[in-house]
Amino acid sequence: MRKLLSSAALGLLALGAACGGGSGGGSGAAADASMPPAAAPTPLPAALSLGLREVASGLDQPILLTAPAGDSRQFIVERPGRIRVLENGSLLSKPLLDISAQTTTDGERGLLSLAFHPEFARNGRFYVYYTDRNGNIAIDRFSMSADPSVADPQSQTRVLSIGHPTYSNHNGGLLAFGPDGYLYIGTGDGGGAGDPNRNAQDPESMLGKLLRLDVDISLPTAYKVPSDNPYAGQSGKRGEIWALGLRNPWRFAFDGTSRQLYIADVGQGEREEVDIAAIATGGNNYGWPIMEGSACYNAASCASAGLVRPAFEYTHGSAGANGCSITGGYVYRGAAIPELAGRYFYSDYCKGFLKSFLYSGGTVSEQRDWGIASVGNVLSFGQDAQGELYVLVGGGKVYKLVRQ
């Protein structure tokens, strides 16, 4: 995030909340294009009330909850380098993985994300996103051991390394498999206020980008560039790039039902934004650092032609009254609260609220504050295999979104 978690604000946490192209051409899987349009969402009942129910505590900086398809367990990423297993409401004593010796929590660094392969039940593979002890971004693959709750540490294989010199912030922090089966990776601009190295607009840099990789290939090659990536095979441009012009996309989310990608990009000092695009659309330039949200950054005017404006944004307001750093969530697709179907949930690190909106037909509507008392600094959202949503907070707790 902008400074995602801060030691001043959270004590043990060292991620902070203070400030710190072209259009184009790819296409997704053919199955996406052939799917019928999603049904229009049912209007949200005014009387619906939501709450948060605690499901885990005593965690060390929990920043992601996820699960492989069809699995009843929840897997929680702790920033110092462990992945914990929540099974039947209890945290297992032995972690799925512990790479704490390979990372550091200096600044915004650490173990930041986890993605299970779509065929995890068959191949036992998963991927992690972390910063190494030199601050560089590392994407590694692991396989499971004979124990169904513990990874094989000897299976660790490097997929991708991205240099991240000078600054300890703006590391991005999420990797996820899209409906097309490719692995997407959101990277920060490299840190420092205003993207001083202009990485986000540089097609030769993988910083400040959304990357898209094909990892379903034979060893020893760790990945290949999909042929329909917008810059695949072009000289002077990284073929891994799917979108550019991002500041710090701490969290993004796919909604397979609407076939939309939601990117919550943390702003500099004035605006927080959510960029929304069709999953099959590659090559979008989201504008940073030419623009912050829909406004020119540090200028009265700017050359904004070809830049994709955010679908949703909010300003910090006077003295940060509205927030300081967006925490992106997910579109709800669970079964427990069907009235919420299609609504995107988000929060703000500094305010701890729970809000949602509906994006349909290119328009944002039904903006709603759910009136939940702040549970502290919201670090991340989580989503289990059943599509239910969770909120992870700086006090080491995890809450589940429930009907009140």
Side-chain angles (χ1 to χ4, degrees):
M1 293 176 124
R2 183 180 43 236
K3 279 186 185 174
L4 170 64
L5 317 165
S6 142
S7 56
L10 292 181
L12 291 176
L13 294 178
L15 298 164
C19 290
S23 56
S27 62
D32 285 345
S34 63
M35 290 175 61
T42 301
L44 195 62
L48 180 62
S49 180
L50 301 180
L52 295 176
R53 175 169 58 84
E54 183 180 314
V55 296
S57 62
L59 293 155
D60 191 355
Q61 304 174 50
I63 56 172
L64 187 73
L65 181 150
T66 187
D71 203 309
S72 62
R73 299 171 294 176
Q74 295 85 43
F75 296 81
I76 302 170
V77 175
E78 294 180 315
R79 191 167 72 97
R82 290 171 297 276
I83 300 172
R84 306 292 302 277
V85 183
L86 184 65
E87 186 170 10
N88 297 322
S90 298
L91 281 170
L92 302 187
S93 58
K94 185 180 293 186
L96 171 77
L97 181 70
D98 186 345
I99 58 168
S100 54
Q102 301 180 44
T103 189
T104 171
T105 55
D106 176 46
E108 295 176 6
R109 295 166 175 160
L111 175 59
L112 304 177
S113 186
L114 159 70
F116 291 98
H117 191 279
E119 299 295 327
F120 174 79
R122 176 182 59 83
N123 62 29
R125 293 182 181 178
F126 65 90
Y127 297 77
V128 296
Y129 183 134
Y130 66 100
T131 56
D132 66 22
R133 298 195 68 83
N134 295 316
N136 299 314
I137 295 170
I139 309 298
D140 285 1
R141 184 185 68 233
F142 286 87
S143 297
M144 295 299 292
S145 69
D147 184 333
S149 294
V150 178
D152 175 8
Q154 301 303 313
S155 67
Q156 185 172 12
T157 303
R158 178 58 46 87
V159 175
L160 180 65
S161 295
I162 303 173
H164 195 287
T166 310
Y167 301 101
S168 65
N169 62 343
H170 299 189
N171 300 293
L174 188 74
L175 71 169
F177 282 92
D180 54 13
Y182 293 132
L183 183 64
Y184 289 75
I185 302 166
T187 65
D189 66 10
D195 190 11
N197 296 319
R198 290 299 186 266
N199 290 316
Q201 290 294 321
D202 183 357
E204 294 189 86
S205 170
M206 288 193 285
L207 295 173
K209 308 297 192 300
L210 186 66
L211 310 177
R212 181 178 184 247
L213 311 180
D214 180 357
V215 295
D216 282 334
I217 55 177
S218 300
L219 298 178
T221 305
Y223 75 90
K224 69 178 180 181
V225 171
S227 61
D228 58 351
N229 274 12
Y231 304 128
Q234 295 187 26
S235 177
K237 298 179 180 180
R238 295 298 306 229
E240 296 90 341
I241 296 171
W242 183 249
L244 68 160
L246 295 167
R247 184 178 179 275
N248 201 30
W250 169 241
R251 294 293 178 248
F252 61 88
F254 293 100
D255 179 33
T257 301
S258 67
R259 304 188 298 283
Q260 300 281 356
L261 168 64
Y262 291 67
I263 306 173
D265 196 14
V266 179
Q268 179 65 49
E270 295 185 2
R271 295 169 183 260
E272 306 300 314
E273 69 183 82
V274 179
D275 302 305
I276 305 175
I279 292 172
T281 302
N284 281 350
N285 185 336
Y286 292 109
W288 176 256
I290 300 168
M291 305 186 75
E292 179 185 8
S294 63
C296 293
Y297 175 65
N298 275 352
S301 63
C302 54
S304 61
L307 304 182
V308 178
R309 304 294 180 98
F312 172 79
E313 65 180 349
Y314 62 92
T315 61
H316 293 181
S318 178
N322 302 325
C324 74
S325 184
I326 191 169
T327 302
Y330 298 89
V331 174
Y332 184 83
R333 295 295 178 187
I337 318 174
E339 301 98 313
L340 295 178
R343 277 73 187 182
Y344 176 77
F345 282 81
Y346 68 99
S347 185
D348 187 282
Y349 172 83
C350 290
K351 305 304 287 188
F353 54 62
L354 180 68
K355 294 184 179 182
S356 68
F357 63 77
L358 175 66
Y359 183 77
S360 181
T363 301
V364 168
S365 63
E366 287 189 7
Q367 296 186 47
R368 185 153 175 180
D369 185 336
W370 290 95
I372 291 174
S374 175
V375 289
N377 299 103
V378 175
L379 310 182
S380 187
F381 282 77
Q383 185 180 51
D384 64 21
Q386 292 72 46
E388 301 303 329
L389 301 189
Y390 298 77
V391 175
L392 291 74
V393 302
K397 294 184 177 182
V398 177
Y399 297 89
K400 185 175 184 179
L401 183 65
V402 296
R403 187 189 301 274
Q404 191 81 305

